Amino acid sequence: MSESPTAAPAKEVVLLKGDGIGPEIVSAAVQVLDRIAKRYGHDFIFSEYPIGGRAVEICGNPLPQETLAACRAADCVLLGAVGGPAYDDLPVHQRPETGLLALRSALGLYANLRPVRLFPQLAQASPLHMERIAAGFDILIVRELTGGIYFGERGRRQGSFGEEAFDTESYSKTEIERISHVAFRAAQSRNKNLISVDKANVLESSRLWRETVHRLSSEYPEVTCVNMLVDNAAMQLIRDPAQFDVLLTSNLFGDILSDEASQLTGSIGMLASASVGEGSFGLYEPIHGSAPDIAGKDIANPIATILSAAMLLRHSLQLEDEAIAIETAVESVLDQGLRTADIAVHDSAAIGTQAMTEAIVAAL
Ligand code: NAD
């Protein structure tokens, strides 16, 4: 008796579109994932839940219980972005960003991986002189995501100059160790160079960071590990981005340095990210925000979210060929000269979000 082939189980992907351009760019990535499912015979089940400002409008909570429960039950999550001027004056517990921070924390996603690569086709869109980027660059920023100043004690109080506000940067050895292991392992699989960013000349939390990274480095003898002060790192990224392989950072430093690094690639609209913890579960999102200034105009660059979907396939669903297919399709539309407004140089005509998405789908 012949056996029928067993179909791979369906994969549950939760979509959190969020605010601003979030719905447009997530919809773009879903069109690409639908094409991948068709081409490779996969079954992706998408379900949509509110987060951020949209969720506050619906139920007064930027991270509704149903949203968190759905994420916990899924294989992975694809997120657009949250926030916008309409929500800026809400109390802290209702701020869209509070919902996102709570989500990352509740899901144990302590490591944020941000590849920063120069597509040669976009060299002209980079603000750096051609000679500085002639060799290209390919950096992986490993950012700690669930600790540090974004999660530390904060408040207002009366000080000697009247009302004052404070936020606390605090890291435990355990938190530093687990993110450092992620960075060392990443470096091991790449060019074996790790630069750990801190401000150890001033901050006690950075001194513990530096000591801990240094101690762990003996477990990875093949990786060259160097410390760099964050102010110098900000400068070196502009001076010579090719010197970086893996960049290990705290939550705050990684947030800032990755926006800076993104601009070197031409636009923040090109940069994807994966937030992971233990196991294969992950949350995937572009590194940019909700870009309220361009929302609803069909001009947002969908590539960061589409490349985030490629990371989702690779890390959470172990579909390497499919991830490469998306990355190759993106390269192919760039080769064709297609550009959204943010990566178009001077007189080159720009296409919109949907036209760029359709071109990438067609290249698949
Ligand atoms: P932003 O990243 O949204 O926008 C910065 C600039 O980059 C804007 O000029 C915007 O138009 C442009 N931009 C961003 N993404 C683009 C894309 N895909 N294509 C073309 N251009 C793009 O940062 P911001 O303006 O500082 O913040 C706006 C809102 O987003 C705020 O409410 C902020 O809190 C929120 N935010 C959310 C996240 C997140 O959800 N992970 C991250 C950062 C900021």
Side-chain angles (χ1 to χ4, degrees):
M1 206 167 72
S2 69
E3 282 183 30
S4 61
T6 321
K11 299 296 181 188
E12 308 261 357
V13 183
V14 164
L15 304 176
L16 306 178
K17 293 184 172 175
D19 308 316
I21 59 171
E24 301 163 61
I25 54 178
V26 171
S27 147
V30 168
Q31 291 171 56
V32 170
L33 287 172
D34 276 339
R35 172 74 190 119
I36 288 285
K38 207 165 169 194
R39 174 169 153 187
Y40 291 87
H42 298 305
D43 191 3
F44 301 141
I45 300 174
F46 299 109
S47 53
E48 207 179 308
Y49 288 85
I51 190 168
R54 182 84 192 102
V56 172
E57 282 168 14
I58 295 171
C59 66
N61 180 352
L63 178 60
Q65 277 308 314
E66 303 73 47
T67 298
L68 179 56
C71 292
R72 285 199 162 118
D75 291 293
C76 50
V77 179
L78 183 65
L79 177 102
V82 300
Y87 315 112
D88 281 351
D89 296 327
L90 289 172
V92 171
H93 71 279
Q94 283 192 317
R95 296 278 312 243
E97 295 78 6
T98 303
L100 183 53
L101 292 182
L103 178 69
R104 291 166 175 166
S105 179
L107 296 174
L109 303 173
Y110 62 83
N112 185 224
L113 310 177
R114 301 185 156 192
V116 185
R117 183 162 89 82
L118 179 70
F119 285 94
Q121 302 90 333
L122 297 186
Q124 275 194 308
S126 172
L128 294 190
H129 284 302
M130 287 299 271
E131 60 267 27
R132 290 210 188 275
I133 51 172
F137 54 85
D138 181 356
I139 307 168
L140 179 69
I141 298 180
V142 177
R143 169 188 170 197
E144 201 290 325
L145 202 59
T146 54
I149 200 163
Y150 293 178
F151 290 88
E153 198 191 333
R154 73 188 56 169
R156 301 273 177 115
R157 62 191 171 200
Q158 285 303 312
S160 46
F161 294 102
E163 186 185 6
E164 62 183 29
F166 65 97
D167 299 274
T168 316
E169 172 86 348
S170 156
Y171 269 113
S172 66
K173 249 193 226 179
T174 306
E175 287 172 304
I176 303 168
E177 279 170 1
R178 64 184 185 181
I179 191 69
S180 300
H181 281 301
V182 173
F184 274 111
R185 285 197 296 266
Q188 243 174 350
S189 68
R190 293 169 46 104
N191 288 332
K192 302 185 172 40
N193 282 310
L194 175 64
I195 291 182
S196 173
V197 174
D198 62 44
K199 187 69 182 166
N201 54 344
V202 179
L203 302 178
E204 196 54 37
S205 53
S206 275
R207 284 192 271 276
L208 180 63
W209 184 281
R210 191 174 278 211
E211 278 165 38
T212 307
V213 172
H214 178 72
R215 189 166 37 76
L216 288 190
S217 65
S218 62
E219 294 179 32
Y220 301 88
E222 65 277 40
V223 175
T224 306
C225 177
V226 173
N227 302 302
M228 192 178 277
L229 295 174
V230 62
D231 34 358
N232 187 26
M235 186 178 73
Q236 295 297 335
L237 271 171
I238 306 269
R239 198 185 70 81
D240 178 19
Q243 72 184 285
F244 295 100
D245 177 21
V246 176
L247 202 55
L248 168 63
T249 75
S250 66
N251 203 342
L252 174 66
F253 294 162
D255 196 359
I256 297 168
L257 289 180
S258 56
D259 269 30
E260 181 193 356
S262 76
Q263 203 53 47
L264 305 179
T265 69
S267 168
I268 198 167
M270 294 296 297
L271 259 64
S273 88
S275 301
V276 296
E278 308 303 335
S280 62
F281 180 84
L283 180 149
Y284 302 85
E285 56 178 313
I287 79 154
H288 58 72
S290 58
D293 53 331
I294 57 169
K297 297 181 179 166
D298 189 41
I299 53 176
N301 186 345
I303 293 180
T305 317
I306 288 170
L307 291 175
S308 300
M311 293 184 87
L312 174 157
L313 294 175
R314 175 174 289 122
H315 293 286
S316 280
L317 305 186
Q318 288 75 49
L319 297 175
E320 179 68 23
D321 289 350
E322 291 80 342
I324 292 173
I326 293 179
E327 289 156 356
T328 308
V330 167
E331 293 243 19
S332 145
V333 300
L334 295 177
D335 280 338
Q336 292 167 40
L338 299 177
R339 305 280 186 271
T340 44
D342 56 314
I343 49 174
V345 248
H346 311 306
D347 50 355
S348 59
I351 60 170
T353 311
Q354 186 53 27
M356 178 58 92
T357 305
E358 283 166 15
I360 294 170
V361 169
L364 273 165

